Amino acid sequence: MSEKSAPVTGEERGGGKFPKGLVLRLFAYLIAGHLFAGFLYLLFMLGGQNQ
């Protein structure tokens, strides 16, 4: 009827390495997140000087 499948540990998918697309996407999100945070910080710093 129903067979239990072995849990996927990562060894079946390349020896425990992250997929290349995931690494690139994570790197892009980190860079974009830091740029956005820096932009917000700059806005608040410039806005605070005008008071």
Side-chain angles (χ1 to χ4, degrees):
M1 301 281 169
S2 64
E3 298 179 8
K4 292 184 178 179
S5 61
V8 178
T9 60
E11 293 186 16
E12 295 85 6
R13 295 180 297 145
K17 295 181 181 178
F18 285 109
K20 190 172 186 178
L22 178 65
V23 172
L24 290 175
R25 200 173 340 151
L26 181 62
F27 184 72
Y29 287 155
L30 285 174
I31 294 299
H34 280 88
L35 286 175
F36 183 67
F39 177 69
L40 286 179
Y41 178 77
L42 181 66
L43 284 179
F44 278 99
M45 291 300 293
L46 292 176
Q49 289 179 358
N50 290 336
Q51 291 181 357

Short mmCIF file of all heavy atoms in Angstrom, two decimals:
data_model
loop_
_atom_site.label_atom_id
_atom_site.label_comp_id
_atom_site.label_asym_id
_atom_site.label_seq_id
_atom_site.Cartn_x
_atom_site.Cartn_y
_atom_site.Cartn_z
N MET A 1 0.83 -1.19 0.00
CA MET A 1 0.00 0.00 0.00
C MET A 1 0.88 1.25 0.00
O MET A 1 1.30 1.71 -1.02
CB MET A 1 -0.92 0.01 1.22
CG MET A 1 -1.85 -1.17 1.31
SD MET A 1 -3.22 -0.89 0.19
CE MET A 1 -3.94 -2.49 0.22
N SER A 2 1.16 1.78 1.17
CA SER A 2 1.98 3.00 1.24
C SER A 2 3.32 2.65 1.88
O SER A 2 3.38 2.04 2.93
CB SER A 2 1.28 4.09 2.06
OG SER A 2 1.12 3.66 3.39
N GLU A 3 4.37 3.03 1.21
CA GLU A 3 5.72 2.78 1.73
C GLU A 3 6.26 4.06 2.34
O GLU A 3 6.06 5.15 1.81
CB GLU A 3 6.63 2.32 0.60
CG GLU A 3 6.18 1.03 -0.02
CD GLU A 3 7.09 0.63 -1.16
OE1 GLU A 3 8.14 1.29 -1.33
OE2 GLU A 3 6.75 -0.32 -1.86
N LYS A 4 6.97 3.92 3.44
CA LYS A 4 7.61 5.08 4.05
C LYS A 4 8.88 5.41 3.28
O LYS A 4 9.70 4.53 3.02
CB LYS A 4 7.96 4.80 5.51
CG LYS A 4 6.75 4.66 6.40
CD LYS A 4 7.17 4.47 7.83
CE LYS A 4 5.94 4.36 8.74
NZ LYS A 4 6.32 4.16 10.13
N SER A 5 9.02 6.66 2.90
CA SER A 5 10.23 7.07 2.17
C SER A 5 11.26 7.58 3.17
O SER A 5 10.93 8.12 4.22
CB SER A 5 9.90 8.17 1.16
OG SER A 5 9.40 9.30 1.82
N ALA A 6 12.51 7.40 2.80
CA ALA A 6 13.60 7.86 3.66
C ALA A 6 13.64 9.38 3.64
O ALA A 6 13.40 9.99 2.60
CB ALA A 6 14.92 7.30 3.17
N PRO A 7 13.90 10.01 4.77
CA PRO A 7 13.98 11.48 4.79
C PRO A 7 15.16 11.96 3.94
O PRO A 7 16.21 11.35 3.91
CB PRO A 7 14.19 11.83 6.27
CG PRO A 7 14.70 10.57 6.89
CD PRO A 7 14.14 9.44 6.09
N VAL A 8 14.95 13.07 3.28
CA VAL A 8 16.00 13.64 2.43
C VAL A 8 16.97 14.39 3.33
O VAL A 8 16.60 15.31 4.04
CB VAL A 8 15.38 14.59 1.38
CG1 VAL A 8 16.48 15.22 0.55
CG2 VAL A 8 14.40 13.84 0.51
N THR A 9 18.22 13.96 3.31
CA THR A 9 19.22 14.56 4.20
C THR A 9 20.13 15.55 3.50
O THR A 9 20.91 16.23 4.14
CB THR A 9 20.09 13.45 4.83
OG1 THR A 9 20.73 12.74 3.77
CG2 THR A 9 19.26 12.50 5.66
N GLY A 10 20.05 15.62 2.18
CA GLY A 10 20.94 16.51 1.47
C GLY A 10 22.05 15.76 0.76
O GLY A 10 22.63 16.25 -0.19
N GLU A 11 22.37 14.57 1.24
CA GLU A 11 23.42 13.80 0.58
C GLU A 11 22.97 13.29 -0.78
O GLU A 11 23.78 13.07 -1.66
CB GLU A 11 23.85 12.64 1.48
CG GLU A 11 24.54 13.12 2.74
CD GLU A 11 25.09 11.98 3.57
OE1 GLU A 11 25.20 10.86 3.03
OE2 GLU A 11 25.40 12.22 4.73
N GLU A 12 21.66 13.11 -0.94
CA GLU A 12 21.15 12.67 -2.22
C GLU A 12 21.15 13.80 -3.24
O GLU A 12 20.99 13.57 -4.42
CB GLU A 12 19.71 12.14 -2.07
CG GLU A 12 19.60 10.89 -1.22
CD GLU A 12 19.52 11.19 0.26
OE1 GLU A 12 19.42 12.38 0.62
OE2 GLU A 12 19.54 10.25 1.06
N ARG A 13 21.30 15.03 -2.78
CA ARG A 13 21.21 16.20 -3.65
C ARG A 13 22.54 16.90 -3.82
O ARG A 13 22.59 18.11 -3.89
CB ARG A 13 20.18 17.18 -3.10
CG ARG A 13 18.78 16.63 -3.08
CD ARG A 13 17.82 17.65 -2.52
NE ARG A 13 18.17 17.94 -1.15
CZ ARG A 13 18.04 19.14 -0.59
NH1 ARG A 13 17.57 20.14 -1.27
NH2 ARG A 13 18.37 19.33 0.66
N GLY A 14 23.62 16.21 -3.85
CA GLY A 14 24.89 16.87 -4.14
C GLY A 14 25.88 16.87 -2.99
O GLY A 14 26.71 17.75 -2.91
N GLY A 15 25.79 15.95 -2.09
CA GLY A 15 26.79 15.83 -1.04
C GLY A 15 26.72 16.90 0.01
O GLY A 15 27.73 17.31 0.56
N GLY A 16 25.55 17.41 0.33
CA GLY A 16 25.40 18.39 1.39
C GLY A 16 25.67 19.82 0.98
O GLY A 16 25.71 20.70 1.82
N LYS A 17 25.85 20.08 -0.30
CA LYS A 17 26.10 21.44 -0.78
C LYS A 17 24.78 22.14 -1.06
O LYS A 17 23.81 21.50 -1.44
CB LYS A 17 26.95 21.44 -2.04
CG LYS A 17 28.35 20.91 -1.82
CD LYS A 17 29.13 20.94 -3.11
CE LYS A 17 30.53 20.39 -2.89
NZ LYS A 17 31.29 20.37 -4.14
N PHE A 18 24.75 23.45 -0.89
CA PHE A 18 23.56 24.22 -1.23
C PHE A 18 23.45 24.33 -2.75
O PHE A 18 24.48 24.42 -3.43
CB PHE A 18 23.65 25.63 -0.64
CG PHE A 18 23.40 25.68 0.83
CD1 PHE A 18 24.44 25.94 1.70
CD2 PHE A 18 22.13 25.50 1.34
CE1 PHE A 18 24.23 26.00 3.05
CE2 PHE A 18 21.90 25.56 2.69
CZ PHE A 18 22.95 25.80 3.55
N PRO A 19 22.24 24.34 -3.27
CA PRO A 19 22.09 24.59 -4.71
C PRO A 19 22.61 25.97 -5.08
O PRO A 19 22.49 26.92 -4.30
CB PRO A 19 20.57 24.52 -4.93
CG PRO A 19 20.03 23.80 -3.75
CD PRO A 19 20.98 24.06 -2.62
N LYS A 20 23.19 26.08 -6.27
CA LYS A 20 23.83 27.33 -6.68
C LYS A 20 22.82 28.47 -6.77
O LYS A 20 23.12 29.60 -6.39
CB LYS A 20 24.51 27.14 -8.03
CG LYS A 20 25.39 28.28 -8.42
CD LYS A 20 26.19 27.97 -9.66
CE LYS A 20 27.17 29.08 -9.95
NZ LYS A 20 27.99 28.80 -11.12
N GLY A 21 21.61 28.18 -7.25
CA GLY A 21 20.58 29.21 -7.36
C GLY A 21 20.18 29.77 -6.00
O GLY A 21 19.93 30.96 -5.86
N LEU A 22 20.13 28.91 -5.00
CA LEU A 22 19.77 29.35 -3.65
C LEU A 22 20.83 30.27 -3.08
O LEU A 22 20.52 31.29 -2.47
CB LEU A 22 19.57 28.14 -2.73
CG LEU A 22 19.24 28.44 -1.28
CD1 LEU A 22 17.88 29.13 -1.18
CD2 LEU A 22 19.26 27.18 -0.47
N VAL A 23 22.09 29.94 -3.30
CA VAL A 23 23.19 30.77 -2.80
C VAL A 23 23.17 32.14 -3.46
O VAL A 23 23.30 33.17 -2.78
CB VAL A 23 24.54 30.06 -3.02
CG1 VAL A 23 25.69 30.98 -2.68
CG2 VAL A 23 24.61 28.78 -2.20
N LEU A 24 22.95 32.18 -4.77
CA LEU A 24 22.91 33.46 -5.48
C LEU A 24 21.73 34.30 -5.03
O LEU A 24 21.85 35.51 -4.84
CB LEU A 24 22.84 33.22 -6.99
CG LEU A 24 24.10 32.66 -7.62
CD1 LEU A 24 23.87 32.36 -9.10
CD2 LEU A 24 25.26 33.61 -7.45
N ARG A 25 20.56 33.66 -4.85
CA ARG A 25 19.38 34.39 -4.41
C ARG A 25 19.56 34.93 -3.00
O ARG A 25 19.20 36.08 -2.70
CB ARG A 25 18.16 33.47 -4.46
CG ARG A 25 16.86 34.20 -4.51
CD ARG A 25 15.71 33.25 -4.74
NE ARG A 25 16.13 31.99 -5.30
CZ ARG A 25 15.49 30.85 -5.09
NH1 ARG A 25 14.42 30.81 -4.36
NH2 ARG A 25 15.92 29.73 -5.64
N LEU A 26 20.14 34.13 -2.12
CA LEU A 26 20.38 34.57 -0.75
C LEU A 26 21.36 35.74 -0.72
O LEU A 26 21.14 36.72 0.00
CB LEU A 26 20.94 33.40 0.08
CG LEU A 26 21.23 33.67 1.54
CD1 LEU A 26 19.96 34.03 2.29
CD2 LEU A 26 21.88 32.46 2.17
N PHE A 27 22.41 35.66 -1.51
CA PHE A 27 23.38 36.75 -1.59
C PHE A 27 22.73 38.02 -2.11
O PHE A 27 22.94 39.10 -1.57
CB PHE A 27 24.55 36.32 -2.49
CG PHE A 27 25.65 37.33 -2.56
CD1 PHE A 27 26.49 37.53 -1.48
CD2 PHE A 27 25.86 38.08 -3.71
CE1 PHE A 27 27.52 38.47 -1.54
CE2 PHE A 27 26.88 39.01 -3.78
CZ PHE A 27 27.70 39.20 -2.70
N ALA A 28 21.89 37.89 -3.15
CA ALA A 28 21.22 39.06 -3.71
C ALA A 28 20.26 39.68 -2.69
O ALA A 28 20.17 40.90 -2.57
CB ALA A 28 20.47 38.66 -4.98
N TYR A 29 19.52 38.85 -1.95
CA TYR A 29 18.60 39.37 -0.93
C TYR A 29 19.36 40.07 0.19
O TYR A 29 18.91 41.08 0.71
CB TYR A 29 17.73 38.26 -0.36
CG TYR A 29 16.66 37.77 -1.29
CD1 TYR A 29 16.15 36.49 -1.16
CD2 TYR A 29 16.14 38.57 -2.30
CE1 TYR A 29 15.16 36.02 -2.01
CE2 TYR A 29 15.16 38.12 -3.15
CZ TYR A 29 14.66 36.84 -3.00
OH TYR A 29 13.69 36.39 -3.83
N LEU A 30 20.50 39.53 0.58
CA LEU A 30 21.29 40.17 1.64
C LEU A 30 21.82 41.52 1.19
O LEU A 30 21.76 42.50 1.94
CB LEU A 30 22.46 39.26 2.04
CG LEU A 30 22.09 38.06 2.91
CD1 LEU A 30 23.30 37.17 3.10
CD2 LEU A 30 21.55 38.51 4.25
N ILE A 31 22.33 41.59 -0.03
CA ILE A 31 22.83 42.87 -0.56
C ILE A 31 21.68 43.86 -0.67
O ILE A 31 21.81 45.02 -0.24
CB ILE A 31 23.51 42.65 -1.92
CG1 ILE A 31 24.77 41.81 -1.76
CG2 ILE A 31 23.84 43.99 -2.58
CD1 ILE A 31 25.84 42.42 -0.88
N ALA A 32 20.55 43.44 -1.24
CA ALA A 32 19.41 44.34 -1.41
C ALA A 32 18.87 44.79 -0.05
O ALA A 32 18.51 45.95 0.13
CB ALA A 32 18.31 43.66 -2.21
N GLY A 33 18.84 43.90 0.91
CA GLY A 33 18.36 44.25 2.26
C GLY A 33 19.25 45.27 2.93
O GLY A 33 18.76 46.21 3.57
N HIS A 34 20.55 45.11 2.78
CA HIS A 34 21.47 46.06 3.39
C HIS A 34 21.41 47.42 2.69
O HIS A 34 21.52 48.47 3.34
CB HIS A 34 22.90 45.52 3.37
CG HIS A 34 23.16 44.55 4.47
ND1 HIS A 34 22.91 43.20 4.34
CD2 HIS A 34 23.64 44.73 5.72
CE1 HIS A 34 23.23 42.61 5.48
NE2 HIS A 34 23.68 43.51 6.33
N LEU A 35 21.26 47.41 1.37
CA LEU A 35 21.13 48.69 0.66
C LEU A 35 19.85 49.41 1.08
O LEU A 35 19.85 50.62 1.27
CB LEU A 35 21.13 48.44 -0.85
CG LEU A 35 22.47 48.09 -1.46
CD1 LEU A 35 22.31 47.75 -2.95
CD2 LEU A 35 23.47 49.21 -1.28
N PHE A 36 18.76 48.68 1.22
CA PHE A 36 17.50 49.28 1.64
C PHE A 36 17.60 49.82 3.07
O PHE A 36 17.14 50.93 3.36
CB PHE A 36 16.37 48.25 1.54
CG PHE A 36 15.02 48.81 1.88
CD1 PHE A 36 14.42 49.76 1.07
CD2 PHE A 36 14.36 48.38 3.02
CE1 PHE A 36 13.18 50.27 1.38
CE2 PHE A 36 13.12 48.88 3.34
CZ PHE A 36 12.52 49.84 2.52
N ALA A 37 18.24 49.06 3.96
CA ALA A 37 18.42 49.53 5.34
C ALA A 37 19.30 50.77 5.39
O ALA A 37 19.04 51.70 6.15
CB ALA A 37 19.03 48.41 6.20
N GLY A 38 20.35 50.81 4.57
CA GLY A 38 21.21 51.99 4.51
C GLY A 38 20.47 53.20 3.97
O GLY A 38 20.67 54.32 4.45
N PHE A 39 19.60 52.99 2.99
CA PHE A 39 18.80 54.09 2.46
C PHE A 39 17.85 54.64 3.52
O PHE A 39 17.73 55.86 3.68
CB PHE A 39 18.03 53.59 1.24
CG PHE A 39 17.11 54.62 0.65
CD1 PHE A 39 17.62 55.74 0.01
CD2 PHE A 39 15.74 54.47 0.73
CE1 PHE A 39 16.78 56.69 -0.55
CE2 PHE A 39 14.89 55.42 0.18
CZ PHE A 39 15.41 56.53 -0.46
N LEU A 40 17.20 53.75 4.26
CA LEU A 40 16.31 54.21 5.33
C LEU A 40 17.09 54.96 6.42
O LEU A 40 16.63 55.98 6.93
CB LEU A 40 15.56 53.04 5.95
CG LEU A 40 14.44 52.44 5.11
CD1 LEU A 40 13.81 51.27 5.85
CD2 LEU A 40 13.39 53.48 4.77
N TYR A 41 18.26 54.45 6.76
CA TYR A 41 19.10 55.11 7.75
C TYR A 41 19.48 56.52 7.29
O TYR A 41 19.41 57.48 8.05
CB TYR A 41 20.35 54.26 8.00
CG TYR A 41 21.31 54.87 8.99
CD1 TYR A 41 21.05 54.83 10.35
CD2 TYR A 41 22.48 55.49 8.55
CE1 TYR A 41 21.93 55.39 11.26
CE2 TYR A 41 23.37 56.05 9.46
CZ TYR A 41 23.08 56.00 10.80
OH TYR A 41 23.95 56.56 11.70
N LEU A 42 19.85 56.63 6.01
CA LEU A 42 20.20 57.93 5.46
C LEU A 42 19.00 58.88 5.50
O LEU A 42 19.15 60.06 5.84
CB LEU A 42 20.71 57.76 4.03
CG LEU A 42 21.15 59.03 3.30
CD1 LEU A 42 22.38 59.61 3.99
CD2 LEU A 42 21.43 58.73 1.85
N LEU A 43 17.82 58.39 5.16
CA LEU A 43 16.63 59.23 5.21
C LEU A 43 16.36 59.74 6.61
O LEU A 43 16.05 60.92 6.81
CB LEU A 43 15.41 58.45 4.70
CG LEU A 43 15.29 58.26 3.21
CD1 LEU A 43 14.03 57.46 2.90
CD2 LEU A 43 15.24 59.59 2.50
N PHE A 44 16.49 58.86 7.61
CA PHE A 44 16.23 59.28 8.98
C PHE A 44 17.30 60.23 9.50
O PHE A 44 17.00 61.17 10.24
CB PHE A 44 16.11 58.07 9.91
CG PHE A 44 14.75 57.45 9.89
CD1 PHE A 44 14.49 56.32 9.13
CD2 PHE A 44 13.71 57.99 10.64
CE1 PHE A 44 13.24 55.75 9.11
CE2 PHE A 44 12.45 57.42 10.63
CZ PHE A 44 12.22 56.31 9.87
N MET A 45 18.54 60.01 9.09
CA MET A 45 19.61 60.92 9.52
C MET A 45 19.42 62.31 8.91
O MET A 45 19.55 63.32 9.60
CB MET A 45 20.98 60.37 9.13
CG MET A 45 21.40 59.14 9.91
SD MET A 45 21.50 59.43 11.67
CE MET A 45 22.89 60.55 11.72
N LEU A 46 19.10 62.38 7.65
CA LEU A 46 18.88 63.67 6.99
C LEU A 46 17.62 64.33 7.50
O LEU A 46 17.58 65.56 7.66
CB LEU A 46 18.82 63.49 5.47
CG LEU A 46 20.13 63.09 4.80
CD1 LEU A 46 19.91 62.84 3.32
CD2 LEU A 46 21.19 64.14 5.02
N GLY A 47 16.59 63.55 7.77
CA GLY A 47 15.35 64.11 8.29
C GLY A 47 15.51 64.63 9.71
O GLY A 47 14.90 65.64 10.10
N GLY A 48 16.36 63.99 10.50
CA GLY A 48 16.59 64.43 11.88
C GLY A 48 17.41 65.71 11.97
O GLY A 48 17.31 66.45 12.94
N GLN A 49 18.21 65.99 10.96
CA GLN A 49 19.01 67.21 10.96
C GLN A 49 18.20 68.45 10.65
O GLN A 49 18.60 69.56 10.99
CB GLN A 49 20.14 67.09 9.93
CG GLN A 49 21.22 66.11 10.33
CD GLN A 49 22.30 65.99 9.28
OE1 GLN A 49 22.21 66.61 8.23
NE2 GLN A 49 23.31 65.18 9.55
N ASN A 50 17.06 68.28 10.03
CA ASN A 50 16.24 69.43 9.64
C ASN A 50 15.35 69.94 10.76
O ASN A 50 14.64 70.91 10.57
CB ASN A 50 15.37 69.06 8.43
CG ASN A 50 16.20 68.89 7.18
OD1 ASN A 50 17.29 69.44 7.08
ND2 ASN A 50 15.71 68.11 6.25
N GLN A 51 15.40 69.31 11.89
CA GLN A 51 14.52 69.74 12.99
C GLN A 51 15.26 70.68 13.94
O GLN A 51 16.40 70.66 14.14
CB GLN A 51 14.01 68.55 13.77
CG GLN A 51 13.04 67.72 12.96
CD GLN A 51 12.51 66.55 13.74
OE1 GLN A 51 12.90 66.30 14.87
NE2 GLN A 51 11.63 65.79 13.14
#
